[in-house]
Amino acid sequence: MMKSHLYHVDIRWKKGRTGEISSPELSEKIEIATPPQFTGGAENIWSPEHLFTAAAASCLMTTFLAIAENSGLEFTHFSCGSAGKLEMTDGKYLMTEIHLKPEVTITSEKDRLKAERILNKAAASCLISNSMKSTITVTPDIMVAAEKIPQ
């Protein structure tokens, strides 16, 4: 059984409605801001709402990758579009829904059911999604890589 882990994140205000996220464990910093839908928000900068949605999508991917590797699934592509819905509920803004749309390209049609099972297991096992109150829906798209036709 895995022990508990701590993940350190530091936030530093820069100016206006923008700041910066960093971690002593990581080399990159991320600029963050209030989203433009709110007064004083900024365009083209990551917001907490984007990061919240990205956390669910990235957890689905990393969980899928681990399970696929352990299961020996051969695939050539994984991507995941996502949309997080923010709405007013009982006088508070909440991220009420996250819709994940993973796309996986497998190398053979015979692995389609295996890929579906792995995606379902990844969705059920994602520790970030399991920690959220938001409704998470996953709509996968599994494709088979085009085979080269000998000339």
Side-chain angles (χ1 to χ4, degrees):
M1 177 142 226
M2 184 185 298
K3 295 179 181 179
S4 65
H5 298 281
L6 293 175
Y7 297 88
H8 300 93
V9 175
D10 299 313
I11 304 290
R12 183 178 62 84
W13 172 70
K14 289 170 62 176
K15 65 179 180 178
R17 296 276 186 107
T18 64
E20 190 173 73
I21 298 174
S22 64
S23 173
E25 300 148 0
L26 305 170
S27 60
E28 299 293 320
K29 295 177 180 178
I30 299 172
E31 187 175 33
I32 57 167
T34 302
Q37 295 80 12
F38 291 94
T39 304
E43 300 262 348
N44 298 316
I45 299 177
W46 284 88
S47 70
E49 295 81 357
H50 287 102
L51 294 170
F52 188 85
T53 304
S58 59
C59 186
L60 177 66
M61 181 193 77
T62 56
T63 305
F64 170 83
L65 295 176
I67 297 170
E69 181 180 324
N70 290 333
S71 301
L73 177 68
E74 291 185 33
F75 65 98
T76 59
H77 170 84
F78 179 97
S79 64
C80 185
S82 58
K85 183 177 183 181
L86 176 73
E87 58 186 348
M88 182 69 75
T89 304
D90 297 328
K92 297 182 209 174
Y93 282 110
L94 299 175
M95 295 293 290
T96 57
E97 298 175 30
I98 297 177
H99 188 79
L100 304 173
K101 301 173 190 165
E103 293 182 356
V104 176
T105 303
I106 53 178
T107 58
S108 173
E109 180 63 39
K110 69 177 177 53
D111 287 333
R112 182 175 296 278
L113 289 177
K114 184 178 192 178
E116 287 175 9
R117 283 193 304 271
I118 292 170
L119 275 169
N120 288 335
K121 186 173 183 180
S125 302
C126 173
L127 65 98
I128 297 297
S129 294
N130 287 335
S131 300
M132 295 176 165
K133 294 192 301 184
S134 308
T135 299
I136 312 289
T137 58
V138 179
T139 307
D141 188 9
I142 300 171
M143 297 157 281
V144 179
E147 295 182 28
K148 291 185 179 179
I149 299 171
Q151 297 179 341

